[in-house]
Amino acid sequence: MKALLICEYREGKLLDSSYELLAFAGKLGADSAMVLIGDAVNVPRYGGTVYLADAAGYGEYNPDLHKQLVLAAVAQENPDYIVFQHSSYGWDLAPRVAAKLKVAQISEVIGINDDGFEVGCCNAKMRRTVKPAGAKAVLTVQAGAFSVQGEPQGTPNVEKLEIAGTGSVEFVGYEPAEAKGIDLGKAEVIVSAGRGVGKKDNVPVIAALAKALGGELGASRPVVDAGWVEHSHQVGTTGQTVSPKLYVACGISGAIQHLAGMKKSDFVVAINKDKDAPIGDVADVLIVADVMQFVPALTAKLQK
Amino acid sequence: MNILVCIKQVPDMESRFKANGEGVWYEETDLAFRMNEYDEYAVEQAVKLKEQLGDAPEVTVLSIGPDRVVEAIKKALAMGCDRALHVRDPAVHLKDPWQIASIISGYARDKGFDLIFTGMQSQDRGSAQVGVTVAEQLGYACVTTLVGFSYADGAITARRELEGGVKGVVRMKTPALLTCQLGLNVPRYPTLPNIMKAKKKEIVTVPVADLLKEEPLAATTGFYPPAKKGGGIVLEGDVADMADRLVGILKDKTAVLR
Ligand SMILES: Cc1cc2nc3c(=O)[nH]c(=O)nc-3n(C[C@H](O)[C@H](O)[C@H](O)COP(=O)(O)OP(=O)(O)OC[C@H]3O[C@@H](n4cnc5c(N)ncnc54)[C@H](O)[C@@H]3O)c2cc1C
């Protein structure tokens, strides 16, 4: 069995998370080769073939060209599985490659079982097993689901990838993350407000608990999108990654993108009226309650 | 200008899910359905663009599913879409993303849509494939994870969200398909007068067999809850009592309270 692993490269660097694809290939028991649209200086240590295309020529994000480069590597390698990370790069490119090959694409794989690939669904509350109909498939794997077993060794056999063409989407540039605001990275206690707090007027109640615990206010994405809390407080994939001693999730369901930002917390308390909310899986203590009843009661106790 | 918006109806994610008889999707009884959150941003963006261009564009909303999806369609019409296509499919949950995309592109192929908006993913299946696959099938330029959009003279400038708060800025010409991410805009609530107006708008229904010509490329073989990790303490009951117990636990197990 052969897997073609599509690595990610951004602003001059190979993303470390690319190695998770190797861990996944290991789990599959597949021989692997890599595709890297990057530069020859940053080719990783690795004992197989690296199909290398020059990012300077093709652009770091040019979906039409990247699709053709991946397809060119597929034609040479004839893999059973073409594997991306489930990232802004992977979920953009994987369906394009799958559509051209007319093979199944399975998104956000978190496990492998006898019947196929395991994926999350229903906002992480449930799982599905999905099986490709044909022999080939394109997969995206969830970040962190397959952990890296140390850095790979060896010197790759580098094969140049070249294609001719232009893309229909022109890349203009990157906009950096907003730098202003608070740095939650160093906070020892974070109390985060989720959509379950109900409305903007309720946010001060959560902030009061944060204060009583000597910590900072965090937030999930919908709370930020709705303008209840400023973006610099957002925890998650597209917010900050935090590792406090205590993380209190108030009315947060525990979607994968939120967990990605807070799962390194030492101790997690979740307050949720839904006993089945996925946050319960990472919580050391799950309080099944209405957040607007429980939080003021807790704050009052702490202030005594 | 001719705009298409694709929407899905999904259950409220706070529901309790259990497997249906076939064991490959959820049992629908007792679930409350609503418009997929990501699609609300898609509808809003289409309607906003229509307003920007002086109401000239025609916005068609399309949804595939059983009769209940008409509720989501009506909401989109009340938000400002002009007309609707309901692709009637009582077994939509058995279609894979390739087939769903094929149904949409089968409809859109000869309609000359300049822009197609979809959500970046559905909240229930979460494949994040349908929009991109439609674009591939139609040969449209495509941008995923849209968090910023502007349009002038046939050219689009889009911001797509990458990891860690970084955005990528891209440009393209129509025809294009954009998949919308949370936070792109603020989806409006339909007002009562607009709900009334929407009642007069046309909803065309076609059976799925008219549009679907493709076999599935993947099948769901199981649907089940995640294995419970366990280990955590679950507290239920009286609020004051739980607050006391939590303070005790925090004193015991963390260095945060002394
Ligand atoms: C590409 C991408 C990137 C993303 N990045 C991030 C990110 O960085 N950070 C992030 O947080 N999300 C991110 N998301 C969004 C993520 O998928 C979820 O939509 C989001 O985390 C949900 O936030 P929530 O838990 O506050 O809301 P919901 O999922 O709506 O959950 C609300 C919870 O509150 C509970 N609740 C409701 N009312 C009460 C009450 N009165 N008392 C107690 N509990 C109550 C409910 O049971 C539910 O569990 C991203 C999504 C995508 C696709």
Side-chain angles (χ1 to χ4, degrees):
Chain A
M1 197 195 295
K2 265 204 240 172
L4 184 65
L5 314 177
I6 318 301
C7 293
E8 276 183 58
Y9 181 89
R10 196 161 302 151
E11 296 189 274
K13 280 216 310 264
L14 179 76
L15 300 189
D16 287 345
S17 47
S18 295
Y19 293 122
E20 291 180 16
L21 300 179
L22 271 174
F24 178 71
K27 198 82 182 235
L28 268 178
D31 292 332
S32 65
M34 282 186 185
V35 171
L36 172 60
I37 302 160
D39 65 36
V41 179
N42 281 304
V43 173
R45 283 215 283 222
Y46 168 63
T49 299
V50 172
Y51 291 94
L52 179 71
D54 186 5
Y58 297 105
E60 284 180 31
Y61 171 70
N62 189 322
D64 299 315
L65 296 186
H66 285 215
K67 172 181 73 184
Q68 289 170 46
L69 288 164
V70 172
L71 290 170
V74 169
Q76 287 193 49
E77 191 66 23
N78 192 24
D80 304 278
Y81 296 110
I82 301 146
V83 191
F84 293 82
Q85 275 203 71
H86 195 73
S87 60
S88 60
Y89 185 76
W91 69 61
D92 192 87
L93 206 49
R96 300 178 197 256
V97 170
K100 273 290 164 296
L101 295 170
K102 212 182 161 184
V103 301
Q105 199 231 296
I106 300 173
S107 302
E108 236 182 324
V109 173
I110 50 177
I112 304 166
N113 65 38
D114 291 344
D115 291 329
F117 295 97
E118 202 176 318
V119 304
C121 60
C122 299
N123 209 14
K125 277 190 156 176
M126 299 298 286
R127 300 266 189 275
R128 288 191 303 146
T129 301
V130 187
K131 192 181 171 122
K136 246 192 211 344
V138 174
L139 310 171
T140 65
V141 302
Q142 192 182 86
F146 299 91
S147 44
V148 184
Q149 319 283 331
E151 247 201 73
Q153 296 301 320
T155 308
N157 157 40
V158 175
E159 300 253 356
K160 280 264 178 205
L161 269 188
E162 278 172 34
I163 51 127
T166 53
S168 57
V169 177
E170 179 204 345
F171 183 67
V172 181
Y174 293 112
E175 259 177 30
E178 289 168 51
K180 64 176 170 59
I182 69 156
D183 178 6
L184 294 176
K186 292 187 192 73
E188 296 213 332
V189 176
I190 297 172
V191 180
S192 283
R195 179 147 47 193
V197 307
K199 53 181 185 201
K200 187 173 186 171
D201 291 352
N202 290 339
V203 173
V205 173
I206 310 300
L209 175 60
K211 186 151 182 257
L213 285 165
E216 300 284 356
L217 177 71
S220 71
R221 178 167 185 147
V223 167
V224 171
D225 286 342
W228 300 352
V229 171
E230 198 200 307
H231 181 264
S232 66
H233 294 265
Q234 184 179 313
V235 173
T237 332
T238 44
Q240 298 195 47
T241 304
V242 301
S243 51
K245 291 199 171 113
L246 173 64
Y247 189 84
V248 185
C250 305
I252 294 178
S253 62
I256 191 74
Q257 296 89 354
H258 189 81
L259 299 188
M262 52 66 73
K263 67 182 174 206
K264 291 208 187 84
S265 307
D266 289 342
F267 199 84
V268 176
V269 175
I271 302 145
N272 202 303
K273 63 176 188 192
D274 176 3
K275 201 176 170 180
D276 294 330
I279 191 85
D281 261 5
V282 298
D284 297 283
V285 182
L286 171 65
I287 310 273
V288 183
D290 186 316
V291 66
M292 291 315 293
Q293 287 174 11
F294 181 78
V295 169
L298 178 62
T299 308
K301 288 251 149 54
L302 292 167
Q303 282 167 342
K304 254 197 228 143
Chain B
M1 164 159 321
N2 204 356
I3 303 173
L4 178 68
V5 191
C6 304
I7 65 168
K8 180 175 181 180
Q9 197 193 35
V10 297
D12 189 313
M13 287 304 134
E14 292 180 19
S15 314
R16 189 167 270 222
F17 294 97
K18 58 176 198 286
N20 63 7
E22 300 148 312
V24 297
W25 199 227
Y26 45 72
E27 176 58 54
E28 286 196 6
T29 350
D30 301 335
L31 294 181
F33 282 84
R34 44 166 292 175
M35 194 191 301
N36 178 41
E37 193 177 3
Y38 298 83
D39 304 346
E40 290 186 6
Y41 294 89
V43 172
E44 177 64 30
Q45 201 57 52
V47 173
K48 264 194 139 107
L49 180 59
K50 179 181 162 75
E51 290 166 348
Q52 176 200 327
L53 298 177
D55 281 351
E58 168 100 330
V59 182
T60 305
V61 56
L62 177 157
S63 189
I64 308 167
D67 290 336
R68 60 169 162 73
V69 308
V70 170
E71 287 313 310
I73 290 177
K74 283 183 181 159
K75 179 170 183 191
L77 291 173
M79 285 172 78
C81 295
D82 300 298
R83 50 201 295 272
L85 182 78
H86 172 204
V87 181
R88 199 170 171 281
D89 184 3
V92 67
H93 61 286
L94 297 174
K95 308 290 188 292
D96 75 338
W98 172 257
Q99 289 178 300
I100 299 289
S102 303
I103 294 165
I104 296 169
S105 59
Y107 167 73
R109 189 158 283 122
D110 56 1
K111 305 284 184 305
F113 290 110
D114 303 287
L115 281 171
I116 302 178
F117 291 99
T118 72
M120 79 157 284
Q121 61 184 19
S122 62
Q123 291 171 279
D124 56 358
R125 186 134 68 177
S127 80
Q129 292 172 32
V130 171
V132 194
T133 309
V134 169
E136 284 296 314
Q137 290 172 344
L138 294 175
Y140 278 30
C142 172
V143 168
T144 58
T145 338
L146 187 75
V147 289
F149 173 87
S150 68
Y151 172 86
D153 304 324
I156 297 157
T157 304
R159 287 159 80 222
R160 72 178 293 258
E161 186 175 62
L162 312 176
E163 284 72 18
V166 180
K167 317 263 184 330
V169 182
V170 293
R171 267 196 215 111
M172 81 217 76
K173 296 218 164 64
T174 57
L177 183 146
L178 304 118
T179 83
C180 302
Q181 164 68 321
L182 307 172
L184 169 64
N185 49 43
V186 182
R188 68 194 68 194
Y189 288 105
T191 58
L192 192 59
N194 286 340
I195 293 170
M196 300 313 289
K197 254 194 255 167
K199 287 195 200 297
K200 298 202 191 79
K201 294 179 182 172
E202 184 186 30
I203 303 177
V204 174
T205 304
V206 300
V208 66
D210 286 6
L211 292 168
L212 179 63
K213 309 290 174 223
E214 294 285 339
E215 292 297 314
L217 297 175
T220 304
T221 54
F223 182 83
Y224 42 93
K228 281 275 167 237
K229 244 187 40 212
I233 303 165
V234 179
L235 299 181
E236 282 177 277
D238 178 65
V239 164
D241 190 39
M242 287 192 290
D244 275 338
R245 290 182 61 192
L246 180 59
V247 170
I249 293 168
L250 292 180
K251 279 188 177 149
D252 251 19
K253 302 257 169 94
T254 75
V256 171
L257 291 187
R258 272 158 282 254

